[in-house]
Amino acid sequence: MSKFRTIEARARARKGDELDVILSERLHPVLSAPDMAETADDRWLSAMAKGVFAAGFRWKVVQAKWAETEEAFIGFAPKLVASLSVDAERALAQDRRIIRNPQKIRAAIENAQMVQRVSGEHGSFGKFVSGWPDDDVIGLWAWLKANGTRLGGDTGPRVLRHMGKDTFILTGDVTHGLTTAGLMTAKPTSKRGQREAQAAFNSWRAETGRSMAELSLILAMSVDRPM
């Protein structure tokens, strides 16, 4: 396996001093387990809904509508969203304040039900996520895909990173970096491929003391974007 100092040297050769600026500006802070455990359930549901609504849409469009989306979804209070009536759901599908996609509206309701259930079992959704081992974050991805709605692919990992859970994300550039390092030949969509990626990031984190979020962004910046 490539030593990460070699990968970081390539990234610094390409980006220079800009690398540290990019790391500080583009990454959400990784939260401690106690801080994550204190994050309110409505913020988790909001992040999930934002990730789902953003899939396939321009981020700027979603961001511009988000304040009104929060209003339309009653501040994403899980208990309230989970109990929305069929008529309320239909009304949301006609509400010009939000992106009027019935499937994504339904996903917000189903994810509210999931958040409410997990919170009841663990004390809060944040406590559940904060207790998940960082060295098996791909297991948390799989859990979100299986138990949530529309949280598969990169959506679940992006939600986790936004909320402060340390995770890498298998973007095209990160995957290209992994293949350049000789760790795989294609995007690791299989469980085996994801385990190999997890093992690489676990090793690099132990080597460098950096978060997996930092490692994945540095890895992405160490290679030219594939054509």
Side-chain angles (χ1 to χ4, degrees):
M1 182 184 299
S2 298
K3 292 291 186 182
F4 199 80
R5 61 176 175 268
T6 303
I7 294 171
E8 184 167 348
R10 288 203 302 268
R12 289 195 179 278
R14 295 185 69 247
K15 297 294 184 178
D17 293 339
E18 185 185 2
L19 184 142
D20 294 311
V21 175
I22 293 172
L23 288 174
S24 64
E25 291 183 349
R26 288 181 52 183
L27 290 178
H28 292 276
V30 173
L31 297 183
S32 67
D35 285 344
M36 187 176 301
E38 292 299 317
T39 304
D41 288 345
D42 62 86
R43 293 306 86 204
W44 282 100
L45 181 58
S46 175
M48 291 176 194
K50 197 171 192 178
V52 170
F53 275 111
F57 282 83
R58 291 180 60 192
W59 176 253
K60 288 183 179 180
V61 174
V62 177
Q63 187 69 9
K65 285 181 169 288
W66 203 249
E68 290 186 311
T69 302
E70 288 269 357
E71 184 179 282
F73 278 92
I74 330 165
F76 286 104
K79 183 177 180 179
L80 298 178
V81 177
S83 60
L84 286 173
S85 66
V86 173
D87 287 343
E89 186 176 347
R90 288 173 179 163
L92 282 170
Q94 302 299 320
D95 194 327
R96 293 183 178 275
R97 292 175 296 173
I98 71 172
I99 294 169
R100 292 170 290 166
N101 182 301
Q103 292 75 30
K104 296 186 178 191
I105 293 168
R106 167 49 38 184
I109 295 171
E110 292 179 357
N111 285 331
Q113 295 165 352
M114 180 268 289
V115 168
Q116 192 176 19
R117 182 180 70 253
V118 172
S119 184
E121 294 171 354
H122 295 271
S124 73
F125 195 82
K127 287 182 180 178
F128 167 70
V129 174
S130 67
W132 198 287
D134 288 340
D135 61 3
D136 180 40
V137 74
I138 60 169
L140 186 53
W141 299 357
W143 189 95
L144 288 172
K145 180 180 179 180
N147 292 274
T149 301
R150 292 177 173 256
L151 295 178
D154 288 344
T155 302
R158 290 186 187 280
V159 170
L160 293 174
R161 179 176 287 182
H162 176 79
M163 295 300 290
K165 181 70 172 176
D166 191 17
T167 185
F168 56 96
I169 300 175
L170 294 172
T171 63
D173 286 345
V174 170
T175 299
H176 185 46
L178 289 167
T179 60
T180 299
L183 296 172
M184 53 194 58
T185 58
K187 182 163 183 171
T189 54
S190 69
K191 289 183 179 179
R192 177 180 177 181
Q194 290 185 354
R195 285 196 298 269
E196 291 172 347
Q198 178 79 73
F201 279 100
N202 289 347
S203 175
W204 287 332
R205 186 174 63 164
E207 175 193 339
T208 65
R210 287 187 177 275
S211 69
M212 291 186 291
E214 290 177 308
L215 293 168
S216 62
L217 188 51
I218 293 169
L219 180 63
M221 290 189 288
S222 73
V223 293
D224 293 321
R225 185 178 295 273
M227 301 299 290

